[in-house]
């Protein structure tokens, strides 16, 4: 792949070309020249786009596709295509599959299906066998097979001692544990945020306490055992404070937030649109503002699309019976760019590289792992913008700022 990006504004903190408009030459998938008015060599393709901006490739730390087992919601091939068109060079794929991603065989199966795509697939193996929370899965074997981390997707590990053992065991091979914070006993039969809105609508609520109790417990276990923990999604103001305090104590803890909780609040549920049923639930406006502050001050490390395709028959039913989840890859940048400054958007979308233990920067000699976008366009997210098989999009009808052109990665370009 030999191309030249013309008049591209680089956005990368600490890069000598940061915010500068330059030409970028890529030879056989490697950044070969960066400068102004580069001469286009024979055999090189020129790429020019309106208000073209370039950053290091974006990473999404929490998506599910369905395959194997639920291919009608999303296949690996189409999911990675959607991710590339949405600006992601890397995605962490979690187990929402049948069979679960709890052994080497399943990992190899999914990895093979992800080969040859512009977006690279990284698997988060389940922490327990079949994600049932009873006994640890084959963590070391999965690590050797290429698993990037371990966690039971959106499930709480009720057995605190099992989480303790997992945190101790994974230290032997520098493993990362994803720990989703939601106490299922306190959650009970709730399915939306507990507050004034849920009371008015007569819906069973999930109090913020359910998240806080579990997060407090998990942080206490991490303090006792050591190891590395990532909290994939937090949703309330008190959780931001707990994570900040844990970091000040020197614990190896990182956290993320779903774009849904960062942009929307509980008022979205008033029309009973089941696309607004997500997990964790949309919280209060006070919580949303606190999450934004947590993003800005560095407490929250990454922002995820929390991409979760759901078949129409599991969404177009009564609200309390509908499945949780919304697709989000196609809309994350446009939504995020509305609520935080552009430089923070890019920082949070690229911070996931820390989990990959790789050096990714826009510099001569480095592999080209780039996201191409225009940060200044304004548009409305509509059905025609959905590339996923499933159409359960919480952001439908919302105003967006910024358009993604695509990615350059794995010696290929997808625009």
């Amino acid at each position: 792949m030999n191309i030249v990006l013309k008049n591209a504004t680089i956005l990368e903190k600490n890069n000598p070309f940061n915010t500068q408009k330059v030409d970028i030459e890529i030879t056989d998938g490697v950044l070969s020249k960066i400068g102004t008015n580069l001469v286009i060599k024979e055999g090189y393709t020129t790429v020019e786009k309106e208000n073209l901006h370039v950053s290091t490739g974006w990473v999404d730390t929490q998506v599910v596709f369905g395959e194997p087992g639920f291919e009608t919601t999303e296949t690996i091939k189409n999911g990675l295509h959607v991710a590339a068109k949405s600006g992601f060079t890397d995605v962490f794929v979690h187990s929402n599959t049948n069979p679960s991603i709890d052994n080497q065989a399943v990992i190899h199966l999914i990895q093979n299906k992800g080969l040859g795509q512009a977006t690279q697939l990284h698997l988060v193996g389940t922490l327990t066998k079949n994600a049932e929370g009873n006994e640890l899965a084959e963590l070391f074997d999965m690590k050797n097979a290429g698993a990037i981390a371990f966690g039971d997707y959106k499930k709480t590990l009720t057995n605190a001692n099992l989480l303790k053992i997992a945190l101790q065991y994974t230290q032997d091979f520098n493993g990362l544990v994803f720990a989703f914070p939601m106490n299922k006993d306190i959650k009970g039969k709730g399915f939306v945020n507990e507050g004034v809105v849920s009371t008015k609508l007569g819906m069973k609520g999930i109090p913020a306490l359910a998240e806080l109790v579990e997060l407090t417990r998990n942080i206490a276990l991490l303090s006792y055992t050591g190891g590395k923990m990532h909290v994939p999604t937090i949703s309330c103001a008190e959780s931001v404070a707990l994570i900040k305090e844990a970091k000040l104590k020197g614990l190896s803890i990182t956290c993320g937030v779903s774009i849904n909780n960062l942009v929307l609040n509980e008022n979205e549920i008033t029309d009973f649109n089941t696309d607004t049923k997500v997990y964790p639930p949309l919280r209060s406006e006070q919580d949303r503002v606190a999450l934004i502050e947590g993003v800005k001050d560095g407490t929250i490390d990454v922002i995820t699309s929390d991409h979760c395709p759901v078949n129409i028959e599991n969404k177009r039913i009564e609200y309390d019976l509908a499945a949780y989840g919304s697709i989000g890859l196609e809309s994350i940048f446009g939504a995020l760019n509305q609520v935080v400054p552009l430089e923070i958007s890019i920082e949070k979308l690229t911070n996931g590289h820390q989990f990959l233990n790789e050096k990714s920067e826009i510099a001569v000699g480095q592999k080209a792992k780039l996201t191409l976008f225009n940060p200044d366009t304004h548009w409305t997210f509509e059905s025609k913008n959905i590339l996923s098989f499933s159409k359960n999009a919480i952001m439908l009808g919302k105003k967006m700022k910024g358009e993604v052109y695509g990615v350059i990665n794995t010696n290929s370009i997808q625009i």
Side-chain angles (χ1 to χ4, degrees), residues 367-386:
K367 289 183 178 180
K369 184 186 280 277
L370 306 173
T371 298
L372 284 57
F373 57 98
N374 177 350
D376 297 324
T377 56
H378 293 269
W379 54 289
T380 300
F381 188 66
E382 301 174 355
S383 297
K384 66 181 182 181
N385 304 119
I386 296 177

Side-chain angles (χ1 to χ4, degrees), residues 289-304:
V289 171
L291 291 170
I292 289 178
E293 289 306 309
V295 166
K296 290 179 177 179
D297 69 18
T299 302
I300 296 173
D301 301 273
V302 296
I303 297 168
T304 172

Side-chain angles (χ1 to χ4, degrees), residues 12 15 17 30-32 34 360-367 370:
E12 184 178 53
N15 189 306
F17 294 103
V30 176
L31 298 171
S32 49
I34 300 175
S360 183
E361 60 180 353
I362 304 176
V364 173
Q366 295 292 316
K367 289 183 178 180
L370 306 173

Side-chain angles (χ1 to χ4, degrees), residues 256-315:
V257 64
S258 167
I259 186 63
N260 303 323
N261 295 97
L262 206 61
V263 174
L264 307 174
N265 65 32
E266 61 188 344
N267 291 318
E268 296 291 327
I269 72 173
T270 55
D271 62 357
F272 299 96
N273 176 5
T274 53
D275 286 340
T276 66
K277 187 178 180 181
V278 290
Y279 196 56
L282 301 177
R283 298 287 188 184
S284 70
E285 177 63 11
Q286 180 182 357
D287 289 317
R288 190 189 72 83
V289 171
L291 291 170
I292 289 178
E293 289 306 309
V295 166
K296 290 179 177 179
D297 69 18
T299 302
I300 296 173
D301 301 273
V302 296
I303 297 168
T304 172
S305 71
D306 206 7
H307 183 82
C308 181
V310 178
N311 283 335
I312 189 170
E313 60 265 27
N314 292 318
K315 274 293 187 182

Side-chain angles (χ1 to χ4, degrees), residues 87-130:
F88 291 93
T89 57
D90 300 86
V91 291
F92 289 16
V93 177
H94 293 245
S95 181
N96 191 30
T97 58
N98 184 23
S100 295
I101 307 174
D102 63 359
N103 60 75
Q104 279 196 16
V106 179
I107 285 180
H108 289 316
L109 170 69
I110 297 176
Q111 285 174 333
N112 288 336
K113 289 180 177 293
L115 295 176
Q117 303 294 318
T119 296
Q120 292 175 269
L121 175 153
H122 308 275
L123 291 175
V124 177
T126 62
L127 192 64
T128 63
K129 290 185 179 180
N130 203 34

Side-chain angles (χ1 to χ4, degrees), residues 140-287:
F140 186 61
D141 284 349
M142 287 193 287
K143 174 75 172 181
N144 289 337
I148 195 73
F150 311 97
D152 293 346
Y153 175 68
K154 300 214 173 183
K155 291 184 178 180
T156 296
L157 192 55
T158 304
N159 187 332
N161 190 56
L162 201 57
L163 180 56
K164 183 198 76 172
I165 293 171
L167 286 166
Q168 292 171 325
Y169 177 56
T170 51
Q171 291 178 59
D172 292 338
F173 50 89
N174 197 32
L176 175 65
V177 173
F178 276 57
F180 177 72
M182 185 69 75
N183 185 287
K184 66 179 184 180
D185 295 320
I186 296 176
K187 171 187 176 292
K189 296 181 180 180
F191 51 90
V192 295
N193 181 55
E194 182 181 84
V196 174
V197 175
S198 65
T199 302
K200 287 182 177 179
L201 296 176
M203 292 182 172
K204 289 182 171 64
I206 303 175
L209 181 67
E211 180 171 302
L212 302 180
V213 166
E214 205 68 19
L215 183 56
T216 300
R217 184 202 74 168
N218 293 350
I219 290 173
L221 289 170
L222 179 64
S223 179
Y224 177 80
T225 61
K228 296 193 300 183
M229 178 186 290
H230 179 69
V231 185
T233 49
I234 61 174
S235 66
C236 51
E238 294 90 341
S239 294
V240 177
L242 284 174
I243 295 289
K244 183 180 294 187
E245 181 182 3
K247 287 186 172 186
L248 289 174
K249 289 180 179 178
L251 298 183
S252 184
I253 187 170
T254 52
C255 82
V257 64
S258 167
I259 186 63
N260 303 323
N261 295 97
L262 206 61
V263 174
L264 307 174
N265 65 32
E266 61 188 344
N267 291 318
E268 296 291 327
I269 72 173
T270 55
D271 62 357
F272 299 96
N273 176 5
T274 53
D275 286 340
T276 66
K277 187 178 180 181
V278 290
Y279 196 56
L282 301 177
R283 298 287 188 184
S284 70
E285 177 63 11
Q286 180 182 357
D287 289 317

Side-chain angles (χ1 to χ4, degrees), residues 23-36:
D23 297 341
I24 303 174
E25 182 186 89
I26 300 171
T27 305
D28 295 330
V30 176
L31 298 171
S32 49
K33 288 183 182 179
I34 300 175
T36 56

